[in-house]
Amino acid sequence: MNLRSSGTQPVRLEQDVVLARQTARKLATECGMRLIDQTKLVTAVSELARNTVVYGGGGDMDWQVLEDIGRVGLRLSFRDQGPGIPDVRLALTDGWTSGGGLGLGLTGARRLVDEFDLQTAPGEGTCVTITRWT
Amino acid sequence: MERIPILQMGEYLLVTIQVDMHDQLALNLQEDLAERISRTSAKGVLIDISALDMVDSFIGRMIGTISGLSRIMDAQTVLVGMQPSVAITLVELGMTLPGVSTALNVERGMQKLRDRVERS
Amino acid sequence: MAALSSSTLEAIQAQRTQLLAEWTRDLEDKGATRNLKEQELQQQTQEFLQLLISSLQSRTGENIGTAGWDEIRLFLEKLSNSRALLGHDSQQTASFIFTLKGPLFALLQKHFSDEPATLAEQLWVVSELLDALGMHTIRTFQRSREAVIKRQQEELLELSTPVVKLWDGILALPMIGTLDSQRTQMVMESLLQRIVDTGAEIAIVDITGVPTVDTLVAQHLLKTVTAIRLMGADCIISGVRPQIAQTIVHLGLDLQGVTTKANLADALKLALSRLGVSTVKAG
């Protein structure tokens, strides 16, 4: 697997969620992803970036364009230094929410991508990494 | 402050969402619509999202809320023009927007609104 | 590395007719001429030899990647492309080149019978050259085959998603055969796109031709119905066999809010009545 390009952008304010979506859309288009896959990825990015701002108190989005045999992928990580998630299993249950949302953010995002990884501990922040392949 | 315009056509309100909305903008729209329905005694609200290339759970929730609160205020809501890729993604996300009426385009949506208003 | 000597080139030119005859004969013996018209083969062998000689005459060396070999490479690309379309395999296609080795080596052996050192050297050069040309043929043949396979796959997928218009505003999707997740997803996407393109208000998904449905496929069907509703159209599922109905109930899937009909005709009747169309017998 080769790294074609990478970058980082801040996800601190509400407006940054929009910018994160736009970056994801641009990268997904460049990867040659089909419209439906682009939409799924951008929607997952929107959910996770919002979590970073609302629950994580702001953080960063790292992106990587990956190249594997015969396919291209986009990997995005959302890092924050927030309170972390005490019960990961609960957080990955449909309909569970710590805020005022519907509880579809994390679980929904997981359904929209090919690979999903969640690293978190109470008091140590959260890092969610998602990957979608062409 | 940035706001999404609400057009009035007789007893109907028409909203066309064309920008990539941040969350506050969506909340503003929700508030503005409630206020306009009450002020104009509108009978129906048409929300056109044909220009949106993404609807996440936040926007989905806003649409559900608008539909619910307008019903309480005796107005019907019809959501029109959702793109196929957006519809598939929303379903995959787990948002099925139960109770929200939909139509393929503005014209059909208007027709549906009139029918519903006449019946109610 | 040794180069092709002018003496070798002269020998090839002088014996050209005989070389052609022997080459053609060997090709026929090897069965590499299957489905080829005699005239066509003759033309191809003649053209190849002509191009080979002129490339050698231009003295650009024996590296077939250089400009002096452009024409012959192009010729071989066209040749392997046409062979791929004719259904030849890579061996049959490559033997067009490799069969030339026999007559050509015999010719060199006769020509350099007194100079064994030169013979060995020239044989090596000619062998390397023909190998390179043969490899190029196989490579392009492979690419042509891959293109053919890709096109067929795409055609097959399109064939398996025949969205048909039954009436103004009514689309139907007759699904046939086993549904796997990927195919169901493709079908779903193309149906949704057609709804936007045609502005159809009702879509009928007919699963009469589907023998079994597993959990994943049933879920995909339900998701399709929901997505169609979100877009503002209606979906009717027709042709649900008893076994499939049992599966769905057994799996505990909620079909509430999904309109089902026993067969396509009933579904069409319902769709027409929803659109306000009534049918009467003439006369």
Side-chain angles (χ1 to χ4, degrees), chain C residues 67-225:
Chain C
W69 296 86
D70 277 353
E71 267 187 79
I72 201 158
R73 280 204 319 273
L74 202 70
F75 168 79
L76 287 175
E77 279 156 28
K78 271 192 216 149
L79 181 94
S80 28
N81 196 13
S82 69
R83 296 287 156 98
L85 291 177
L86 276 175
H88 283 209
D89 63 21
S90 55
Q91 198 186 346
Q92 286 167 326
T93 307
S95 64
F96 177 81
I97 303 289
F98 293 134
T99 307
L100 182 58
K101 273 190 180 181
L104 201 53
F105 284 9
L107 180 144
L108 289 177
Q109 215 155 14
K110 227 186 292 167
H111 189 71
F112 292 111
S113 54
D114 308 334
E115 311 161 66
T118 321
L119 173 64
E121 182 199 273
Q122 290 302 304
L123 273 181
W124 176 249
V125 175
V126 170
S127 178
E128 285 274 87
L129 179 63
L130 287 180
D131 284 351
L133 290 171
M135 289 311 286
H136 183 70
T137 313
I138 293 174
R139 251 197 321 272
T140 42
F141 174 83
Q142 204 72 27
R143 270 210 300 272
S144 306
R145 288 289 299 170
E146 274 159 21
V148 170
I149 291 168
K150 190 157 179 282
R151 209 189 54 233
Q152 283 172 342
Q153 269 174 345
E154 280 164 8
E155 278 169 5
L156 210 63
L157 264 179
E158 292 215 341
L159 273 180
S160 67
T161 59
V163 182
V164 290
K165 181 176 164 180
L166 287 187
W167 200 271
D168 244 355
I170 304 175
L171 290 179
L173 176 71
M175 305 234 256
I176 289 159
T178 313
L179 294 176
D180 57 40
S181 248
Q182 198 205 349
R183 202 180 138 212
T184 316
Q185 213 165 331
M186 291 288 296
V187 169
M188 162 171 163
E189 284 168 25
S190 79
L191 177 62
L192 264 61
Q193 192 54 52
R194 278 293 294 276
I195 290 174
V196 175
D197 295 344
T198 59
E201 277 176 86
I202 299 174
I204 302 172
V205 178
D206 183 70
I207 55 170
T208 310
V210 178
T212 53
V213 162
D214 64 12
T215 325
L216 230 63
V217 172
Q219 275 170 350
H220 269 304
L221 278 175
L222 289 182
K223 282 180 188 169
T224 310
V225 175

Side-chain angles (χ1 to χ4, degrees), chain A residues 14-15 18 21-22 25 35-36 39-40 42-43 46-47 50 100-102 104-105 108-109 111-112, chain B residues 2 20-25 53-59 61 84-86 88-89 92-95:
Chain A
E14 225 173 56
Q15 195 62 44
V18 178
R21 287 203 292 253
Q22 286 167 356
R25 174 74 67 177
L35 179 65
I36 173 78
T39 310
K40 284 181 179 172
V42 171
T43 308
S46 186
E47 301 293 342
R50 180 177 299 107
L102 289 167
L104 291 173
R111 278 195 294 271
L112 295 175
Chain B
E2 224 184 325
D20 196 350
M21 285 192 293
H22 56 82
D23 295 357
Q24 190 55 48
L25 198 56
D53 55 13
M54 183 225 60
V55 169
D56 63 5
S57 65
F58 196 88
I59 302 173
R61 187 152 59 110
S85 56
V86 173
I88 292 173
T89 305
E92 205 70 52
L93 195 62
M95 284 215 104

Side-chain angles (χ1 to χ4, degrees), chain B residues 15-66:
Chain B
V15 181
T16 305
I17 305 174
Q18 278 170 328
V19 291
D20 196 350
M21 285 192 293
H22 56 82
D23 295 357
Q24 190 55 48
L25 198 56
L27 292 175
N28 289 347
L29 175 63
Q30 197 174 304
E31 265 172 41
D32 291 354
L33 260 176
E35 191 267 331
R36 278 291 279 278
I37 295 170
S38 136
R39 187 152 52 87
T40 61
S41 319
K43 289 283 165 231
V45 179
L46 194 89
I47 306 172
D48 176 15
I49 57 162
S50 55
L52 283 191
D53 55 13
M54 183 225 60
V55 169
D56 63 5
S57 65
F58 196 88
I59 302 173
R61 187 152 59 110
M62 173 204 80
I63 292 167
T65 309
I66 290 175

Side-chain angles (χ1 to χ4, degrees), chain B residues 11 13 37 41-45 66-78 113 116-117 120:
Chain B
E11 43 187 2
L13 299 177
I37 295 170
S41 319
K43 289 283 165 231
V45 179
I66 290 175
S67 167
L69 66 85
S70 59
R71 199 174 306 126
I72 296 170
M73 300 169 80
D74 192 28
Q76 307 286 332
T77 306
V78 174
L113 262 186
R116 301 192 126 222
V117 169
S120 69

Side-chain angles (χ1 to χ4, degrees), chain A residues 58-101:
Chain A
D60 293 288
M61 174 179 89
D62 304 322
W63 56 265
Q64 294 183 319
V65 178
L66 304 168
E67 222 170 358
D68 203 1
I69 308 149
R71 59 179 191 169
V72 182
L74 188 53
R75 177 167 293 166
L76 299 128
S77 295
F78 297 83
R79 289 180 286 117
D80 67 56
Q81 303 298 317
I85 303 170
D87 190 340
V88 174
R89 253 212 0 232
L90 192 61
L92 287 175
T93 309
D94 253 339
W96 184 86
T97 175
S98 63

